[in-house]
Amino acid sequence: MVDNKADTYSAISIHSFLINTAKFVSPMLGGFLLARFGAASCFLVDSISYIPFVFAILAAQIKSVSNKYLLKNTNILQNLKEGFTFAYDFLPIRYVLTLQILICFMVMTHVNLIPVFVREILNGNAETMGFLMTASALGSIIAGLYLILRKQATGLVNVIAYSAMVLGLGLILFSRSNNLQTCLVLIFIVGMTNTLTLAAISNFVQLILVDETKRGRVTSIFTTGFLGILPFGNLFFGGLASKIGVDNALFFGGICCLIGAILFVKKLPNIKNLISNIYVESDLITQPNRD
């Protein structure tokens, strides 16, 4: 939908910010409606909320797609194969999608372990749970604001690498803490860096995709790696927490994330070298560099 390639970064950043703002506001609104009017009111408001967005979609003006962007092959399996082959062979995309899958499996599942952590480690209640989730969502909003306010679209690989490292370290420290105030600070960092890393990966993938015929398929791989991996991660960490404890399960996830981030950092010089010409072709920079 975005004509100017350089505007893609801003569009995705705003999209991420809106999603995480909704994550922050919606639970509070839902809790108020549930307490005052009952569960039925939540479903009613949710249903009504779709109406303005339907009109917004219908009002969107999208230019017709050029024939050069249309797939010549109508074989679905062949098209899927080409998409996976492209994502695997193009090293920058392979590296960032691998890191994304690792984070979604090892880290994002922490959200479903928080209630157990609150009960068993913090000896808290629903109010404690609310504090932690609010702190995490607030961190996500800060991450979204940071991406929107960044002056340049390039340099995202650095954001991805070091944000993922802080994410893993933050989850490790969170798993070792039993003090609510400390946990609030750490879960804020986890929420912020989790959103920052995944949103930066989404931005990065869109920016370096110069072959429009591959965009839909690579984006689908990203979405599958994001949503498709979560149920398996929840299953794995639910079982792991029952065996070794929720704190140790979170610690394990943080360690795996940190190791993955360190390995990604080692690939940075190679990634920057491969994408510098793409940035020039997209008019994001005027000459090749290693950022």
Side-chain angles (χ1 to χ4, degrees):
M1 294 177 65
V2 180
D3 292 330
N4 187 356
K5 182 104 174 161
D7 292 335
T8 302
Y9 171 80
S10 298
I12 298 176
S13 298
I14 293 173
H15 175 254
S16 175
F17 173 74
L18 292 175
I19 287 177
N20 289 291
T21 300
K23 285 170 56 181
F24 180 74
V25 175
S26 297
M28 292 187 291
L29 177 61
F32 171 77
L33 291 172
L34 184 64
R36 291 292 299 271
F37 305 106
S41 65
C42 296
F43 288 100
L44 176 62
V45 171
D46 183 43
S47 300
I48 294 174
S49 69
Y50 282 88
I51 296 176
F53 297 105
V54 170
F55 282 106
I57 293 173
L58 292 175
Q61 297 181 356
I62 304 175
K63 293 183 179 180
S64 60
V65 180
S66 172
N67 288 333
K68 68 178 181 179
Y69 297 149
L70 298 178
L71 298 179
K72 296 180 176 60
N73 189 351
T74 57
N75 187 303
I76 295 178
L77 293 179
Q78 182 63 29
N79 287 331
L80 286 173
K81 180 181 177 181
E82 289 178 3
F84 278 106
T85 300
F86 174 80
Y88 182 83
D89 291 340
F90 189 29
L91 293 182
I93 289 183
R94 185 207 301 181
Y95 291 147
V96 295
L97 290 184
T98 300
L99 182 63
Q100 174 222 1
I101 291 172
L102 176 70
I103 290 174
C104 289
F105 189 90
M106 293 293 178
V107 178
M108 285 198 67
T109 48
H110 80 275
V111 175
N112 294 312
L113 296 179
I114 292 297
V116 184
F117 187 88
V118 168
R119 184 180 68 249
E120 296 184 358
I121 307 301
L122 298 179
N123 297 315
N125 51 26
E127 184 180 33
T128 309
M129 169 75 175
F131 285 142
L132 288 175
M133 298 311 296
T134 299
S136 177
L138 183 59
S140 296
I141 292 176
I142 298 300
L145 282 174
Y146 167 75
L147 288 175
I148 291 174
L149 296 175
R150 284 183 84 243
K151 299 298 183 182
Q152 57 183 7
T154 57
L156 283 173
V157 285
N158 289 329
V159 174
I160 294 169
Y162 298 113
S163 177
M165 290 182 67
V166 176
L167 172 59
L169 183 60
L171 190 60
I172 291 170
L173 295 176
F174 177 81
S175 71
R176 300 295 93 184
S177 177
N178 57 9
N179 176 271
L180 177 58
Q181 288 72 28
T182 303
C183 285
L184 286 173
V185 174
L186 293 172
I187 201 64
F188 170 85
I189 294 173
V190 169
M192 178 177 63
T193 51
N194 182 67
T195 296
L196 184 59
T197 305
L198 294 178
I201 289 175
S202 177
N203 269 296
F204 179 73
V205 169
Q206 294 295 335
L207 283 173
I208 64 175
L209 274 174
V210 293
D211 186 350
E212 294 295 336
T213 63
K214 302 294 193 304
R215 185 175 300 279
R217 283 169 286 181
V218 174
T219 303
S220 297
I221 294 172
F222 171 85
T223 304
T224 302
F226 182 77
L227 298 176
I229 202 71
L230 283 176
F232 298 101
N234 291 332
L235 179 63
F236 175 80
F237 275 93
L240 186 65
S242 67
K243 298 293 183 182
I244 65 176
V246 63
D247 52 344
N248 292 324
L250 291 172
F251 180 80
F252 174 73
I255 287 290
C256 291
C257 177
L258 183 59
I259 293 173
I262 292 173
L263 293 175
F264 184 81
V265 168
K266 292 182 177 181
K267 300 293 185 181
L268 282 181
N270 189 25
I271 294 174
K272 292 177 180 179
N273 183 56
L274 291 170
I275 64 176
S276 59
N277 289 331
I278 295 176
Y279 283 164
V280 173
E281 293 174 6
S282 302
D283 295 325
L284 297 176
I285 57 176
T286 55
Q287 60 183 1
N289 60 38
R290 295 180 62 80
D291 191 36

